[in-house]
Amino acid sequence: MEDAGIGWIAAIIIGGIAGWLAEQFMKSNMGVLMNILLGIVGAIVANAILGLFGIVLGGWIGYLIAGFIGACILIAIGRAFRR
């Protein structure tokens, strides 16, 4: 988060948006708090995975994209463990 130049409040807002977008895309039903957590943790996960391939996303848009990708991955993993 610090590398992207995003503060904590912006991370919460962007994480919530990314989590909500992932929730809509994956057709899951979660609350606002879970959306925020999925977006923030998803951004960390996606940045780590993309970093292995040499892809670096920075700024607000990059954080939103990484949060969306990571949240979708986390939702898919959660569904796999529930079944």
Side-chain angles (χ1 to χ4, degrees), residues 26 28 30 38 69-83:
M26 299 291 287
S28 64
M30 300 181 187
L38 278 173
I69 293 169
C72 287
I73 291 170
L74 292 175
I75 291 171
I77 290 172
R79 285 181 181 171
F81 279 114
R82 271 191 250 142
R83 293 182 184 172

Side-chain angles (χ1 to χ4, degrees), residues 1-2 5-15 36 40 44 63:
M1 242 176 346
E2 294 300 322
I6 296 174
W8 286 103
I9 295 172
I12 291 170
I13 293 169
I14 296 170
I36 293 170
I40 293 172
I44 294 168
Y63 189 79

Side-chain angles (χ1 to χ4, degrees), residues 13-81:
I13 293 169
I14 296 170
I17 294 169
W20 179 79
L21 288 171
E23 178 185 51
Q24 299 301 311
F25 182 74
M26 299 291 287
K27 294 181 180 33
S28 64
N29 187 15
M30 300 181 187
V32 174
L33 182 62
M34 194 59 158
N35 285 343
I36 293 170
L37 289 174
L38 278 173
I40 293 172
V41 175
I44 294 168
V45 169
N47 278 327
I49 293 171
L50 292 173
L52 295 174
F53 297 106
I55 301 169
V56 178
L57 299 174
W60 293 61
I61 300 297
Y63 189 79
L64 180 66
I65 293 168
F68 173 75
I69 293 169
C72 287
I73 291 170
L74 292 175
I75 291 171
I77 290 172
R79 285 181 181 171
F81 279 114

